[in-house]
Amino acid sequence: MADCGLAYIPADYGDGIRKPEGGTNFGAVILIPFDVPGISKGKPLDKLGQRTVPQGEIFFDNVRLPRKYLIEDHAGYDASFFSVLTFENMSIALALSGLARASYDHAIAYAHERKQGGVPIIQHQSVQLRIFDMWSKVEMCRALSRRVVNFNFLSGEPHCLASVTSKVNVTQMAYQVADEALQMFGGNGLAKEYPMEKLYRDARASLIEDGENNILSLKGGNWLSEHYQETHI
Ligand SMILES: Cc1cc2nc3c(=O)[nH]c(=O)nc-3n(C[C@H](O)[C@H](O)[C@H](O)COP(=O)(O)OP(=O)(O)OC[C@H]3O[C@@H](n4cnc5c(N)ncnc54)[C@H](O)[C@@H]3O)c2cc1C
């Protein structure tokens, strides 16, 4: 669907693409119009979740672009990359807090409608406990999301660690809330006629989009270790 893309890619400025000590020489940020010769697109991927955010393969065959499409060279690469990651990870935390809240809203409404054992299921104490657990997780999502927005907009400068922390934890909690809300719907939770099936799939995708959570956590742990070494060793 997109007419252009923004590519964060390795670049050869005369020293090659690979560093002699290992790793990649980053980089270049390039705006790529998709109507230049040599570019073609594959079909959108038939994904499990977040289907309204289409993705697909893009093929490059001897593509040449004028220099004006270079947005950042290696001097500005890191700042650009981490700025995008900082604001995107924060945005995912905000969006997934909304998904957690929507899941909770559907679950508590359904628990008041659905009758089992002659009463609405909310009257079973175990269901009340489950509702409170969902509510608590929604509150934690919201608290962490508010904190990262305050931090990134009101402190001296935005910080990628704050955003990564919020993305990883909010998406995990939102996924747990969506999972439990689907469970609350019983068999209906699995049916497309009810909302939980979609929310659950979208929550599942959030554990991978905008950085797979294990990799983001690995990066976060790496930064914490670097910081400790700088300040303590
Ligand atoms: C809805 C959605 C929207 C997206 N939007 C965008 C977008 O706008 N722009 C964009 O660029 N991308 C986007 N993506 C892609 C997304 O960022 C990647 O799918 C994600 O970062 C994971 O990368 P990968 O798929 O290459 O998995 P891989 O990196 O191949 O990971 C596969 C598995 O290997 C593990 N693994 C990988 N490396 C290591 C390692 N060094 N050590 C230990 N384990 C490792 C991972 O934990 C994971 O379990 C989107 C994805 C989704 C689902």
PDB file of all heavy atoms in Angstrom, residues 11-38:
ATOM      1  N   ALA A  11      25.873   0.635   5.523  1.00  0.00           N
ATOM      2  CA  ALA A  11      26.370   1.399   4.370  1.00  0.00           C
ATOM      3  C   ALA A  11      27.886   1.305   4.308  1.00  0.00           C
ATOM      4  O   ALA A  11      28.556   1.200   5.338  1.00  0.00           O
ATOM      5  CB  ALA A  11      25.943   2.853   4.495  1.00  0.00           C
ATOM      6  N   ASP A  12      28.405   1.336   3.104  1.00  0.00           N
ATOM      7  CA  ASP A  12      29.854   1.269   2.884  1.00  0.00           C
ATOM      8  C   ASP A  12      30.361   2.670   2.551  1.00  0.00           C
ATOM      9  O   ASP A  12      30.065   3.201   1.482  1.00  0.00           O
ATOM     10  CB  ASP A  12      30.132   0.302   1.726  1.00  0.00           C
ATOM     11  CG  ASP A  12      31.622   0.117   1.489  1.00  0.00           C
ATOM     12  OD1 ASP A  12      32.420   0.856   2.120  1.00  0.00           O
ATOM     13  OD2 ASP A  12      31.981  -0.739   0.675  1.00  0.00           O
ATOM     14  N   TYR A  13      31.085   3.284   3.505  1.00  0.00           N
ATOM     15  CA  TYR A  13      31.651   4.610   3.264  1.00  0.00           C
ATOM     16  C   TYR A  13      33.138   4.506   2.910  1.00  0.00           C
ATOM     17  O   TYR A  13      33.903   5.432   3.112  1.00  0.00           O
ATOM     18  CB  TYR A  13      31.461   5.498   4.493  1.00  0.00           C
ATOM     19  CG  TYR A  13      30.013   5.882   4.726  1.00  0.00           C
ATOM     20  CD1 TYR A  13      29.229   5.174   5.637  1.00  0.00           C
ATOM     21  CD2 TYR A  13      29.412   6.920   4.020  1.00  0.00           C
ATOM     22  CE1 TYR A  13      27.893   5.504   5.846  1.00  0.00           C
ATOM     23  CE2 TYR A  13      28.080   7.267   4.227  1.00  0.00           C
ATOM     24  CZ  TYR A  13      27.329   6.560   5.136  1.00  0.00           C
ATOM     25  OH  TYR A  13      26.000   6.888   5.344  1.00  0.00           O
ATOM     26  N   GLY A  14      33.543   3.333   2.455  1.00  0.00           N
ATOM     27  CA  GLY A  14      34.942   3.132   2.079  1.00  0.00           C
ATOM     28  C   GLY A  14      35.622   2.074   2.928  1.00  0.00           C
ATOM     29  O   GLY A  14      36.691   1.575   2.576  1.00  0.00           O
ATOM     30  N   ASP A  15      34.993   1.702   4.094  1.00  0.00           N
ATOM     31  CA  ASP A  15      35.579   0.688   4.992  1.00  0.00           C
ATOM     32  C   ASP A  15      34.867  -0.655   4.867  1.00  0.00           C
ATOM     33  O   ASP A  15      35.076  -1.548   5.694  1.00  0.00           O
ATOM     34  CB  ASP A  15      35.464   1.138   6.462  1.00  0.00           C
ATOM     35  CG  ASP A  15      36.170   2.450   6.695  1.00  0.00           C
ATOM     36  OD1 ASP A  15      37.142   2.717   5.973  1.00  0.00           O
ATOM     37  OD2 ASP A  15      35.737   3.197   7.595  1.00  0.00           O
ATOM     38  N   GLY A  16      33.984  -0.794   3.915  1.00  0.00           N
ATOM     39  CA  GLY A  16      33.232  -2.041   3.772  1.00  0.00           C
ATOM     40  C   GLY A  16      31.968  -2.020   4.620  1.00  0.00           C
ATOM     41  O   GLY A  16      31.747  -1.104   5.422  1.00  0.00           O
ATOM     42  N   ILE A  17      31.175  -3.070   4.469  1.00  0.00           N
ATOM     43  CA  ILE A  17      29.917  -3.179   5.218  1.00  0.00           C
ATOM     44  C   ILE A  17      30.171  -3.801   6.592  1.00  0.00           C
ATOM     45  O   ILE A  17      29.587  -3.425   7.589  1.00  0.00           O
ATOM     46  CB  ILE A  17      28.910  -4.067   4.434  1.00  0.00           C
ATOM     47  CG1 ILE A  17      28.471  -3.381   3.135  1.00  0.00           C
ATOM     48  CG2 ILE A  17      27.702  -4.424   5.280  1.00  0.00           C
ATOM     49  CD1 ILE A  17      27.438  -2.305   3.286  1.00  0.00           C
ATOM     50  N   ARG A  18      31.092  -4.783   6.641  1.00  0.00           N
ATOM     51  CA  ARG A  18      31.377  -5.487   7.901  1.00  0.00           C
ATOM     52  C   ARG A  18      32.578  -4.872   8.599  1.00  0.00           C
ATOM     53  O   ARG A  18      33.592  -4.578   7.956  1.00  0.00           O
ATOM     54  CB  ARG A  18      31.680  -6.965   7.629  1.00  0.00           C
ATOM     55  CG  ARG A  18      30.495  -7.726   7.098  1.00  0.00           C
ATOM     56  CD  ARG A  18      29.636  -8.239   8.239  1.00  0.00           C
ATOM     57  NE  ARG A  18      28.349  -8.687   7.731  1.00  0.00           N
ATOM     58  CZ  ARG A  18      27.252  -8.713   8.470  1.00  0.00           C
ATOM     59  NH1 ARG A  18      27.264  -8.328   9.711  1.00  0.00           N
ATOM     60  NH2 ARG A  18      26.115  -9.137   7.964  1.00  0.00           N
ATOM     61  N   LYS A  19      32.510  -4.698   9.915  1.00  0.00           N
ATOM     62  CA  LYS A  19      33.662  -4.210  10.671  1.00  0.00           C
ATOM     63  C   LYS A  19      34.643  -5.350  10.864  1.00  0.00           C
ATOM     64  O   LYS A  19      34.205  -6.503  11.055  1.00  0.00           O
ATOM     65  CB  LYS A  19      33.218  -3.737  12.061  1.00  0.00           C
ATOM     66  CG  LYS A  19      32.371  -2.496  12.036  1.00  0.00           C
ATOM     67  CD  LYS A  19      31.995  -2.145  13.464  1.00  0.00           C
ATOM     68  CE  LYS A  19      31.035  -0.979  13.482  1.00  0.00           C
ATOM     69  NZ  LYS A  19      30.394  -0.781  14.766  1.00  0.00           N
ATOM     70  N   PRO A  20      35.961  -5.089  10.867  1.00  0.00           N
ATOM     71  CA  PRO A  20      36.926  -6.171  11.051  1.00  0.00           C
ATOM     72  C   PRO A  20      36.724  -6.899  12.381  1.00  0.00           C
ATOM     73  O   PRO A  20      36.878  -8.115  12.481  1.00  0.00           O
ATOM     74  CB  PRO A  20      38.283  -5.454  11.039  1.00  0.00           C
ATOM     75  CG  PRO A  20      38.025  -4.062  10.571  1.00  0.00           C
ATOM     76  CD  PRO A  20      36.576  -3.783  10.690  1.00  0.00           C
ATOM     77  N   GLU A  21      36.298  -6.169  13.438  1.00  0.00           N
ATOM     78  CA  GLU A  21      36.122  -6.796  14.760  1.00  0.00           C
ATOM     79  C   GLU A  21      34.766  -7.489  14.890  1.00  0.00           C
ATOM     80  O   GLU A  21      34.411  -8.019  15.947  1.00  0.00           O
ATOM     81  CB  GLU A  21      36.308  -5.749  15.869  1.00  0.00           C
ATOM     82  CG  GLU A  21      35.222  -4.682  15.969  1.00  0.00           C
ATOM     83  CD  GLU A  21      35.450  -3.467  15.053  1.00  0.00           C
ATOM     84  OE1 GLU A  21      36.192  -3.583  14.061  1.00  0.00           O
ATOM     85  OE2 GLU A  21      34.845  -2.417  15.328  1.00  0.00           O
ATOM     86  N   GLY A  22      33.979  -7.518  13.811  1.00  0.00           N
ATOM     87  CA  GLY A  22      32.645  -8.113  13.848  1.00  0.00           C
ATOM     88  C   GLY A  22      31.597  -7.017  13.924  1.00  0.00           C
ATOM     89  O   GLY A  22      31.884  -5.912  14.384  1.00  0.00           O
ATOM     90  N   GLY A  23      30.398  -7.327  13.490  1.00  0.00           N
ATOM     91  CA  GLY A  23      29.325  -6.325  13.486  1.00  0.00           C
ATOM     92  C   GLY A  23      29.270  -5.598  12.155  1.00  0.00           C
ATOM     93  O   GLY A  23      30.058  -5.844  11.250  1.00  0.00           O
ATOM     94  N   THR A  24      28.308  -4.675  12.109  1.00  0.00           N
ATOM     95  CA  THR A  24      28.002  -4.015  10.833  1.00  0.00           C
ATOM     96  C   THR A  24      28.300  -2.532  10.916  1.00  0.00           C
ATOM     97  O   THR A  24      28.132  -1.921  11.966  1.00  0.00           O
ATOM     98  CB  THR A  24      26.497  -4.198  10.526  1.00  0.00           C
ATOM     99  OG1 THR A  24      26.182  -5.579  10.666  1.00  0.00           O
ATOM    100  CG2 THR A  24      26.157  -3.761   9.123  1.00  0.00           C
ATOM    101  N   ASN A  25      28.789  -1.983   9.802  1.00  0.00           N
ATOM    102  CA  ASN A  25      28.987  -0.541   9.732  1.00  0.00           C
ATOM    103  C   ASN A  25      27.666   0.133   9.403  1.00  0.00           C
ATOM    104  O   ASN A  25      27.231   0.162   8.271  1.00  0.00           O
ATOM    105  CB  ASN A  25      29.996  -0.205   8.613  1.00  0.00           C
ATOM    106  CG  ASN A  25      31.408  -0.147   9.135  1.00  0.00           C
ATOM    107  OD1 ASN A  25      31.655   0.310  10.243  1.00  0.00           O
ATOM    108  ND2 ASN A  25      32.338  -0.613   8.320  1.00  0.00           N
ATOM    109  N   PHE A  26      27.009   0.661  10.461  1.00  0.00           N
ATOM    110  CA  PHE A  26      25.796   1.438  10.201  1.00  0.00           C
ATOM    111  C   PHE A  26      26.246   2.858   9.936  1.00  0.00           C
ATOM    112  O   PHE A  26      27.281   3.282  10.469  1.00  0.00           O
ATOM    113  CB  PHE A  26      24.856   1.366  11.409  1.00  0.00           C
ATOM    114  CG  PHE A  26      24.177   0.021  11.494  1.00  0.00           C
ATOM    115  CD1 PHE A  26      24.699  -1.002  12.269  1.00  0.00           C
ATOM    116  CD2 PHE A  26      23.037  -0.209  10.758  1.00  0.00           C
ATOM    117  CE1 PHE A  26      24.065  -2.234  12.316  1.00  0.00           C
ATOM    118  CE2 PHE A  26      22.397  -1.455  10.810  1.00  0.00           C
ATOM    119  CZ  PHE A  26      22.916  -2.458  11.583  1.00  0.00           C
ATOM    120  N   GLY A  27      25.602   3.584   9.207  1.00  0.00           N
ATOM    121  CA  GLY A  27      24.500   3.221   8.405  1.00  0.00           C
ATOM    122  C   GLY A  27      24.084   4.450   7.603  1.00  0.00           C
ATOM    123  O   GLY A  27      24.701   5.509   7.567  1.00  0.00           O
ATOM    124  N   ALA A  28      22.961   4.261   7.023  1.00  0.00           N
ATOM    125  CA  ALA A  28      22.346   5.311   6.224  1.00  0.00           C
ATOM    126  C   ALA A  28      20.842   5.227   6.415  1.00  0.00           C
ATOM    127  O   ALA A  28      20.288   4.138   6.565  1.00  0.00           O
ATOM    128  CB  ALA A  28      22.700   5.121   4.762  1.00  0.00           C
ATOM    129  N   VAL A  29      20.214   6.373   6.471  1.00  0.00           N
ATOM    130  CA  VAL A  29      18.757   6.438   6.516  1.00  0.00           C
ATOM    131  C   VAL A  29      18.324   6.996   5.163  1.00  0.00           C
ATOM    132  O   VAL A  29      18.696   8.117   4.799  1.00  0.00           O
ATOM    133  CB  VAL A  29      18.267   7.355   7.657  1.00  0.00           C
ATOM    134  CG1 VAL A  29      16.744   7.312   7.738  1.00  0.00           C
ATOM    135  CG2 VAL A  29      18.897   6.954   8.988  1.00  0.00           C
ATOM    136  N   ILE A  30      17.594   6.195   4.422  1.00  0.00           N
ATOM    137  CA  ILE A  30      17.268   6.574   3.050  1.00  0.00           C
ATOM    138  C   ILE A  30      15.760   6.529   2.819  1.00  0.00           C
ATOM    139  O   ILE A  30      15.090   5.554   3.202  1.00  0.00           O
ATOM    140  CB  ILE A  30      17.953   5.616   2.044  1.00  0.00           C
ATOM    141  CG1 ILE A  30      19.464   5.615   2.285  1.00  0.00           C
ATOM    142  CG2 ILE A  30      17.653   6.011   0.612  1.00  0.00           C
ATOM    143  CD1 ILE A  30      20.206   4.653   1.391  1.00  0.00           C
ATOM    144  N   LEU A  31      15.252   7.588   2.244  1.00  0.00           N
ATOM    145  CA  LEU A  31      13.852   7.607   1.814  1.00  0.00           C
ATOM    146  C   LEU A  31      13.782   6.919   0.458  1.00  0.00           C
ATOM    147  O   LEU A  31      14.523   7.297  -0.467  1.00  0.00           O
ATOM    148  CB  LEU A  31      13.374   9.058   1.692  1.00  0.00           C
ATOM    149  CG  LEU A  31      11.928   9.245   1.251  1.00  0.00           C
ATOM    150  CD1 LEU A  31      10.953   8.719   2.295  1.00  0.00           C
ATOM    151  CD2 LEU A  31      11.644  10.720   0.959  1.00  0.00           C
ATOM    152  N   ILE A  32      12.939   5.917   0.358  1.00  0.00           N
ATOM    153  CA  ILE A  32      12.890   5.155  -0.901  1.00  0.00           C
ATOM    154  C   ILE A  32      11.508   5.267  -1.539  1.00  0.00           C
ATOM    155  O   ILE A  32      10.531   4.691  -1.028  1.00  0.00           O
ATOM    156  CB  ILE A  32      13.220   3.668  -0.658  1.00  0.00           C
ATOM    157  CG1 ILE A  32      14.577   3.545   0.052  1.00  0.00           C
ATOM    158  CG2 ILE A  32      13.225   2.899  -1.968  1.00  0.00           C
ATOM    159  CD1 ILE A  32      14.989   2.117   0.327  1.00  0.00           C
ATOM    160  N   PRO A  33      11.396   6.019  -2.650  1.00  0.00           N
ATOM    161  CA  PRO A  33      10.122   6.000  -3.380  1.00  0.00           C
ATOM    162  C   PRO A  33       9.983   4.637  -4.055  1.00  0.00           C
ATOM    163  O   PRO A  33      10.959   4.128  -4.619  1.00  0.00           O
ATOM    164  CB  PRO A  33      10.285   7.111  -4.432  1.00  0.00           C
ATOM    165  CG  PRO A  33      11.645   7.679  -4.237  1.00  0.00           C
ATOM    166  CD  PRO A  33      12.429   6.824  -3.304  1.00  0.00           C
ATOM    167  N   PHE A  34       8.804   4.052  -3.983  1.00  0.00           N
ATOM    168  CA  PHE A  34       8.657   2.691  -4.504  1.00  0.00           C
ATOM    169  C   PHE A  34       8.359   2.638  -6.008  1.00  0.00           C
ATOM    170  O   PHE A  34       8.148   1.560  -6.559  1.00  0.00           O
ATOM    171  CB  PHE A  34       7.556   1.949  -3.731  1.00  0.00           C
ATOM    172  CG  PHE A  34       7.962   1.613  -2.307  1.00  0.00           C
ATOM    173  CD1 PHE A  34       7.005   1.498  -1.307  1.00  0.00           C
ATOM    174  CD2 PHE A  34       9.294   1.425  -1.963  1.00  0.00           C
ATOM    175  CE1 PHE A  34       7.371   1.189   0.001  1.00  0.00           C
ATOM    176  CE2 PHE A  34       9.681   1.131  -0.656  1.00  0.00           C
ATOM    177  CZ  PHE A  34       8.710   1.013   0.324  1.00  0.00           C
ATOM    178  N   ASP A  35       8.363   3.835  -6.656  1.00  0.00           N
ATOM    179  CA  ASP A  35       8.087   3.798  -8.097  1.00  0.00           C
ATOM    180  C   ASP A  35       9.348   3.955  -8.946  1.00  0.00           C
ATOM    181  O   ASP A  35       9.267   4.206 -10.139  1.00  0.00           O
ATOM    182  CB  ASP A  35       7.056   4.879  -8.473  1.00  0.00           C
ATOM    183  CG  ASP A  35       7.527   6.278  -8.081  1.00  0.00           C
ATOM    184  OD1 ASP A  35       8.616   6.393  -7.471  1.00  0.00           O
ATOM    185  OD2 ASP A  35       6.801   7.243  -8.375  1.00  0.00           O
ATOM    186  N   VAL A  36      10.532   3.801  -8.331  1.00  0.00           N
ATOM    187  CA  VAL A  36      11.759   3.911  -9.141  1.00  0.00           C
ATOM    188  C   VAL A  36      12.063   2.545  -9.779  1.00  0.00           C
ATOM    189  O   VAL A  36      11.670   1.498  -9.236  1.00  0.00           O
ATOM    190  CB  VAL A  36      12.979   4.397  -8.310  1.00  0.00           C
ATOM    191  CG1 VAL A  36      12.756   5.796  -7.796  1.00  0.00           C
ATOM    192  CG2 VAL A  36      13.300   3.450  -7.185  1.00  0.00           C
ATOM    193  N   PRO A  37      12.769   2.555 -10.920  1.00  0.00           N
ATOM    194  CA  PRO A  37      13.045   1.280 -11.598  1.00  0.00           C
ATOM    195  C   PRO A  37      13.820   0.312 -10.691  1.00  0.00           C
ATOM    196  O   PRO A  37      14.716   0.722  -9.947  1.00  0.00           O
ATOM    197  CB  PRO A  37      13.922   1.699 -12.787  1.00  0.00           C
ATOM    198  CG  PRO A  37      13.628   3.140 -12.999  1.00  0.00           C
ATOM    199  CD  PRO A  37      13.279   3.718 -11.665  1.00  0.00           C
ATOM    200  N   GLY A  38      13.450  -0.964 -10.733  1.00  0.00           N
ATOM    201  CA  GLY A  38      14.153  -1.992  -9.968  1.00  0.00           C
ATOM    202  C   GLY A  38      13.456  -2.383  -8.674  1.00  0.00           C
ATOM    203  O   GLY A  38      13.830  -3.359  -8.026  1.00  0.00           O
TER     204      GLY A  38
END
